[in-house]
Amino acid sequence: MAQSAGPARNVILTVDDDPGVSRAVARDLRRRYGESYRIVRAESGESALEALRELKLRGDQVAVLLADYRMPQMNGIEFLEQALDVYPRARRVLLTAYADTNAAIDAINVIDLDHYLLKPWDPPEEKLYPVLDDLLEAWRAADRTCVGVTKVVGHRWSARSSDVREFLARNQVPYRWFSSDEPEGRRLLAAAEADGERLPLVVTPDGTPLVAPEDAELADRVGLATTPAAEFYDLVVIGGGPAGLGAAVYGASEGLRTVLVERSATGGQAGQSSRIENYLGFPDGVSGAQLTGRARRQATKFGAEILTAREVTALEVNGASRTIRFSDGSAIAAHSVILATGVSYRQLDAPGCGDLTGCGVFYGSALTEAAACQGHDVYIVGGANSAGQAAMYLARHAKSVTLLVRGPSLEASMSHYLIQQIEGMPNITVRTGTVVEAAHGMDHLEQLTLREPASGHTELVDAQWVFVFIGAAPLTDWLEGTLLRDDHGFVLAGPDLTSDGGPPPGWELDRPPYHLETNVPGVFVAGDARAESAKRVASAVGEGAMAVMLVHRYLEQS
């Protein structure tokens, strides 16, 4: 990789496997943009991805990616697809010959391509610079991250440090991580007059230091919306997973005053997935972060309001109004509500796991920890798709990945395509009929005791990393006494409300509940929180859209 010297600036990166062409492209770029942007060039997709990862770690921002289509090992489309995971807001340009224009057009849908350029483009003043000028202007206007970056100082085995990094990453807030043991970390702690006992220290782009902030304060200080703009809406969507985002997109696009309320980060469990390969329209797969980012931008484009780090504690019925109460005592009201609260992974109840959560024991993919797994042995608990996707992703970094599955096989809970991929990875081992008996370690995970229930055999293994994907617990306890739920806490709706086909208890309307409507008229449920739901991303998005259609029907008859 070759790159310009000098201090770090916003970056334009170009990749072409032909050295002569690569130098020519970089020359044209430097001539026009060299004073304002750092020009980075690479001669393969892999080296370009390595450069992007280095830039990300340094906190640099990439404005535009230009990739040649015809490259060996990894073509331009494949590179831009993977680059989305590192810099999702960078503008993407494919360099192509006339014979490959069909591939470029297809890439518009596959990787959300911004533009494609035919080579050669002489003179650049007519065929290159006007295109890049427009893309750079759009990037500067849309991307607030180019003016500064959040800094996080913490300890590798600090549970709260891990939580903060995950919160920022999942909300697509760029940040730089500094260990409290390294010189720059110590300098930041000293500048903030922090003693290092309470971690993490978060320094916002404007230089404000926050010591061990809670999510709500952190969200507010890094520019995420936490306060509703109004007191009354047509539609409140609770939960920002695929179902909630789908409902927000369709609600706002169809003219409803819509607000989405999320207690942590949009995307839900799907947003933590490293790669979703069976979602319609993405034949090469899409990461949960990419899908979430696009859906969030789509919802806000249509005018939906998105509140982050706001926990809903109560749903109240006040005549025709539905009131949503927050944990701080404030409230908003609406004509209708869609519950899309999803599910959370069940906790391991084995001794030691609770004390080591965030210190080697993680629930969900914790993608921010993946790089630290380089060269280590990693264990994953679970046998469903989320566990399989995490295994495939972590296998890129880890020395070995061991899937611990309670059942006799993967076939009952994991998609066939994932099972085939896992079987083809030499550093992934599947251990069926095995559970975690205990976790051991002082300030971080050091060992696991594994047990085979059928034989009673136990084994002590060295382990610093275990990622847990077991079961699905609905986040619906706060609805007790308001909505009807099944024995597992999932919300009942439509025909599932009663066994005899009649109206649910207390139902006063002369019509039966709509398909996704709960026992409270105007309150709907979509996605994984609904009893008997399919527990798939595509079905959750579909239910979110369907719920909005039923909201319209409800409002028309109210």
Side-chain angles (χ1 to χ4, degrees), residues 48-128:
L49 286 174
E50 182 180 356
L52 287 180
R53 287 190 283 266
E54 292 174 1
L55 293 168
K56 188 73 171 180
L57 288 173
R58 288 201 298 265
D60 296 332
Q61 298 302 316
V62 175
V64 176
L65 300 165
L66 299 96
D68 182 56
Y69 174 61
R70 287 184 177 270
M71 294 190 294
Q73 284 82 51
M74 180 187 297
N75 67 37
I77 295 176
E78 293 167 340
F79 160 72
L80 291 172
E81 171 75 5
Q82 294 192 42
L84 272 170
D85 290 333
V86 187
Y87 282 100
R89 292 186 175 90
R91 303 300 177 181
R92 293 168 292 281
V93 179
L94 193 67
L95 310 179
T96 181
Y98 181 82
D100 298 320
T101 52
N102 286 338
I105 293 170
D106 290 341
I108 293 173
N109 293 320
V110 174
I111 59 170
D112 202 13
L113 189 70
D114 293 295
H115 209 283
Y116 68 89
L117 290 170
L118 296 178
K119 301 189 299 183
W121 48 57
D122 288 332
E125 289 77 8
E126 294 180 12
K127 298 183 179 180
L128 173 64

Side-chain angles (χ1 to χ4, degrees), residues 193-245:
E193 298 182 344
D195 56 17
E197 293 297 319
R198 295 180 60 212
L199 292 175
L201 166 71
V202 178
V203 182
T204 64
D206 65 2
T208 302
L210 309 173
V211 178
E214 296 297 323
D215 285 354
E217 180 187 12
L218 181 59
D220 185 59
R221 293 301 186 94
V222 299
L224 299 173
T226 59
T227 304
E231 296 180 353
F232 196 89
Y233 296 84
D234 293 321
L235 171 64
V236 174
V237 181
I238 305 176
L245 287 168

